[in-house]
Amino acid sequence: MLNPAGKRHKSNKDWLVEHVNDPYVQRAKQEGYRSRAAYKLIELDQKDRLLRTGGVIVDLGSAPGSWCQVAARKVGASGKIVAIDLLEMQGMNHVEFIQGDFSDEQILRQVEVALGGAKVDLVMSDMLPNMTGVTAIDSPRAIYLCELAAEFALAHLKPDGKFLTKAYQGPGYQEFFQQLKQQFKTVVSRKPDASRDRSAEIYLLASGLR
């Protein structure tokens, strides 16, 4: 029988094999995206028309920057993207990056300065906390990040703006879904093909402020 350390080692090895063989990982390398997550946003955009030329976008939890890459190609030089993450992110054209915690008042002020008073077409968040594998712990922490992102979106979106967030299907998910339905005119769930089947992640898209 493997000891706990052995189990972790096997799990890490299995993940590495899966990652290396992942077609989206291979495609991201070929097409110059920083991570496979780019294809989640590409699919969501194709279905729900999230990105447009000249759009104003805020990307919460942006590192390593694959969602910014997708968005920047769509909004172009006439658009504006403000990206925020605790981790450092390599710069790119048409993206203003702010390193810090978006729930911090000083960071929020930096975001507002970067927006220059403009209201936002799309707030998108691909954030999840560091996962423990214990649903009772992971889900509330993930939903808390969703709630913070929603609070930011409500304060900064245009009346017809959209809020896209990764969520975790577990305790608190249904309550958060119902909360969004009270705050937005339309709320739908999406599971992109690039999202691994075994993952409990799902994306919620809320449109139009009530």
Side-chain angles (χ1 to χ4, degrees):
M1 180 179 292
L2 289 172
N3 59 31
K7 289 181 180 178
R8 286 196 298 271
H9 177 74
K10 185 177 186 299
S11 177
N12 290 341
K13 184 177 179 181
D14 290 345
W15 178 88
L16 183 60
V17 170
E18 179 186 37
H19 184 75
V20 169
N21 293 325
D22 187 315
Y24 287 105
V25 172
Q26 296 171 353
R27 185 177 168 190
K29 290 179 180 178
Q30 293 169 357
E31 298 182 358
Y33 288 114
R34 296 182 183 181
S35 81
R36 69 189 302 284
Y39 300 103
K40 300 176 187 179
L41 183 59
I42 289 171
E43 182 180 337
L44 291 166
D45 179 48
Q46 289 172 344
K47 187 175 187 65
D48 295 295
R49 299 182 181 180
L50 304 175
L51 308 170
R52 62 175 181 81
T53 303
V56 179
I57 296 173
V58 174
D59 185 357
L60 302 175
S62 58
S66 60
W67 275 25
C68 283
Q69 287 179 292
V70 174
R73 293 177 184 183
K74 276 296 192 79
V75 305
S78 61
K80 181 187 289 287
I81 300 173
V82 180
I84 310 146
D85 203 293
L86 284 169
L87 303 176
E88 187 175 354
M89 187 183 88
Q90 183 181 353
M92 67 183 73
N93 292 335
H94 313 312
V95 177
E96 181 168 348
F97 175 65
I98 298 169
Q99 186 169 3
D101 184 345
F102 81 95
S103 65
D104 184 286
E105 287 297 326
Q106 289 186 332
I107 297 299
L108 278 178
R109 282 195 289 272
Q110 289 184 46
V111 173
E112 288 164 356
V113 169
L115 288 171
K119 285 292 187 178
V120 180
D121 294 292
L122 172 66
V123 172
M124 56 187 189
S125 170
D126 198 31
M127 294 188 295
L128 269 186
N130 291 327
M131 307 301 274
T132 66
V134 180
T135 300
I137 296 174
D138 292 337
S139 186
R141 291 169 61 196
I143 294 300
Y144 174 67
L145 289 179
C146 291
E147 289 172 343
L148 289 179
E151 183 178 329
F152 178 91
L154 290 169
H156 294 89
L157 281 175
K158 296 176 180 178
D160 61 347
K162 296 180 179 181
F163 170 52
L164 174 67
T165 185
K166 178 189 286 185
Y168 188 90
Q169 298 178 82
Y173 169 77
Q174 285 298 334
E175 290 82 356
F176 177 66
F177 187 90
Q178 292 303 318
Q179 173 189 316
L180 288 182
K181 289 180 70 174
Q182 294 174 2
Q183 297 165 331
F184 292 86
K185 295 176 182 176
T186 305
V187 183
V188 295
S189 62
R190 299 283 187 251
K191 181 76 169 178
D193 290 341
S195 181
R196 293 187 173 104
D197 291 339
R198 60 175 171 73
S199 172
E201 73 177 21
I202 196 165
Y203 289 86
L204 295 179
L205 175 61
S207 307
L209 299 177
R210 285 193 180 277

